[in-house]
Amino acid sequence: MFDRLTEQPADKILMLMQAFKDDPREQKIDLGVGVYKDASGNTPIFRAIKEAEKRWWGQEETKAYTGLAGDPGYADVMVDLVLGDAVPRANVAAAGTPGGTGACRQGFDLAKLANPDLRVFVSNPTWPNHLSILKHMGIEMVPYRYFDDETRGVDFDGMMADLAQAKAGDVVLVHGCCHNPTGANLNLTQWQVLVDLLLKTGATPMVDIAYQGFGDGLDEDAAAVRLVASQVPECLIAASCSKNFGIYRERTGILMAVAQDGDRRALNQGTLNYLNRQNYSFPPDHGARMVTLVLGDAGLRADWAAELEEIRRSMLGLREQLAGELQRLSGSDRFGFIAQHRGMFSRLGASPEQVERMREKHGIYMVGDSRLNIAGLNAQSVPILAKAIVDVGV
Ligand code: LMR
């Protein structure tokens, strides 16, 4: 049987992570994988998470199974964090998943169960793993225009024109905030136009929200998903705690199925439980438990939110610094978009050859499509990056 296996494509982001590790040069900068690094290059554990872990160590009495959807307390705090009071809690079915990736996978699985001829509309570009998972699952993908290479903003007219082709039974996958890989986002007026179009076409939105708190703030970043969920008849939401709680390796995510009608919840919840059972039974507990403890304790929650806000502000500062440095070195405003983008990433607009040269000559690692991880920078590395960008002729 094994001799019938063929080589699978390696994930480009993870390959880059390895290439960076293998690079013996001391002067190297990792702007690849989406992981936050502080000024000394570490990915720290949030203070509130560390404290929750200490407390939990003393309290935990069993490691027996939870439920198929994970701990119900986790679902409650996450629905509250993401949706606030945008929809009645009774309308939301939710199940813990291994990370945001698991939530995406389960969401596609649910949609395929409902519609075997499923088509998923994906932004061009989107997170490469969206495409890889959909391909692996044999689900048809329909790209919609998203990034305008000229303005480095959203090609909103193109996006609307392409999404007008969607119909009931299709899923439209959108990034709730901090678009990965471009950093370019819709404003709330545009989100409303998108919602109106979704209502007209009858397509079901699936919102992937993996960076809540990294863009404009916790509530600001959730404004779009709340707008969508409160107006469409049904939607899927895949949320991740990897970045905003800094618990990447704990694999903590959640999939929500929101209906306007509370009667649907039991069936939706049963489906989510069923899908968890088929794929891995129970979702991982530790990360979810820490999130529940942090969000459920006023002191820990305030400390977590404050630390997240520090990170967000430091990323905004780095964006300003990089845009300013590039303006100085290039003598032009053409890099101003870096300060406008939000979240961990910005698509620089460099060619694959220029990206390659930055890696070879300057030891700077970014994804081949010129996505750079702003959270991988610090005040010292920004001028080095700016010089390299100008040096390779971007
Ligand atoms: C990224 O886009 O770099 C992150 O979401 C990490 C990953 O799993 O790809």
Side-chain angles (χ1 to χ4, degrees):
M1 184 172 104
F2 292 166
D3 57 351
R4 300 180 68 172
L5 292 177
T6 54
E7 190 114 12
Q8 298 300 330
D11 185 283
K12 292 203 174 73
I13 296 174
L14 304 186
M15 242 165 56
L16 197 67
M17 197 163 112
Q18 191 56 45
F20 178 80
K21 274 192 191 147
D22 295 343
D23 188 334
R25 284 176 286 184
E26 256 185 42
Q27 298 292 331
K28 53 179 182 174
I29 303 175
D30 181 11
L31 306 178
V33 70
V35 170
Y36 169 77
K37 298 209 186 94
D38 64 16
S40 11
N42 299 320
T43 302
I45 300 175
F46 276 68
R47 295 181 299 260
I49 291 287
K50 201 76 187 152
E51 177 59 28
E53 285 184 321
K54 270 192 221 148
R55 291 187 195 172
W56 187 238
W57 186 79
Q59 280 170 29
E60 187 176 36
E61 284 178 343
T62 179
K63 292 206 185 273
Y65 292 126
T66 53
L68 278 179
D71 178 49
Y74 170 62
D76 286 343
V77 293
M78 284 304 291
V79 170
D80 178 59
L81 181 71
V82 175
L83 287 171
D85 53 13
V87 295
R89 178 68 184 89
N91 295 2
V92 188
T97 55
T101 307
C104 289
R105 169 81 198 228
Q106 298 297 77
F108 298 147
D109 227 346
L110 180 144
K112 199 176 174 194
L113 206 57
N115 176 14
D117 299 321
L118 177 67
R119 299 188 302 169
V120 176
F121 283 66
V122 287
S123 64
N124 181 17
T126 189
W127 182 45
N129 209 26
H130 283 149
L131 307 178
S132 179
I133 295 172
L134 287 165
K135 181 164 178 252
H136 177 70
M137 296 178 79
I139 294 173
E140 186 181 342
M141 290 173 256
V142 186
Y144 61 85
R145 274 171 279 173
Y146 187 80
F147 191 64
D148 183 331
D149 286 320
E150 281 302 308
T151 64
R152 314 280 214 275
V154 177
D155 173 6
F156 190 64
D157 292 342
M159 176 178 178
M160 289 303 103
D162 290 348
L163 289 181
Q165 310 305 316
K167 54 182 187 354
D170 291 334
V171 161
V172 172
L173 179 61
V174 289
H175 299 227
C177 63
C178 308
H179 185 267
N180 178 5
T182 66
N185 298 290
L186 269 55
N187 60 37
L188 274 183
T189 313
Q190 292 171 323
W191 275 105
Q192 185 59 58
V193 177
L194 170 63
V195 167
D196 293 341
L197 181 67
L198 289 164
L199 288 170
K200 205 165 130 199
T201 60
T204 302
M206 175 165 157
V207 184
D208 183 357
I209 178 158
Y211 298 91
Q212 188 182 351
F214 275 75
D216 291 310
L218 274 170
D219 283 321
E220 291 82 350
D221 290 349
V225 66
R226 292 173 186 173
L227 186 87
V228 172
S230 63
Q231 293 187 40
V232 298
E234 49 189 40
C235 69
L236 291 165
I237 301 165
S240 169
C241 301
S242 297
K243 333 273 161 152
N244 54 4
F245 287 87
I247 49 174
Y248 306 86
R249 64 176 64 169
E250 301 296 353
R251 310 312 300 136
T252 309
I254 191 162
L255 177 65
M256 303 175 202
V258 187
Q260 286 300 350
D261 168 2
D263 292 349
R264 298 237 175 251
R265 183 187 176 188
L267 183 68
N268 289 348
Q269 188 64 56
T271 308
L272 295 179
N273 294 0
Y274 165 82
L275 287 172
N276 268 6
R277 183 64 169 159
Q278 305 322 304
N279 287 323
Y280 38 74
S281 283
F282 304 89
D285 184 66
H286 183 75
R289 192 71 56 177
M290 295 311 108
V291 168
T292 313
L293 285 175
V294 168
L295 292 179
D297 178 287
L300 291 181
R301 186 179 182 125
D303 189 47
W304 163 74
E307 194 169 353
L308 181 59
E309 184 62 9
E310 276 166 39
I311 291 175
R312 187 183 79 79
R313 286 182 184 277
S314 92
M315 287 194 311
L316 284 184
L318 290 163
R319 285 187 177 281
E320 295 282 345
Q321 192 193 347
L322 181 58
E325 197 74 28
L326 282 165
Q327 185 190 41
R328 198 175 60 76
L329 291 176
S330 71
S332 95
D333 287 333
R334 68 179 192 278
F335 294 103
F337 65 89
I338 292 174
Q340 307 306 321
H341 284 172
R342 283 294 177 273
M344 261 192 183
F345 308 113
S346 267
R347 177 179 267 201
L348 188 60
S351 68
E353 295 74 31
Q354 290 168 330
V355 171
E356 181 69 29
R357 252 185 294 145
M358 272 189 267
R359 184 156 63 225
E360 304 245 294
K361 190 167 165 202
H362 300 280
I364 293 171
Y365 285 70
M366 62 181 75
V367 182
D369 64 356
S370 77
R371 181 191 86 168
L372 52 96
N373 174 20
I374 298 291
L377 285 167
N378 58 46
Q380 286 71 44
S381 55
V382 164
I384 303 173
L385 171 66
K387 248 169 109 178
I389 290 174
V390 172
D391 178 61
V392 302
V394 181

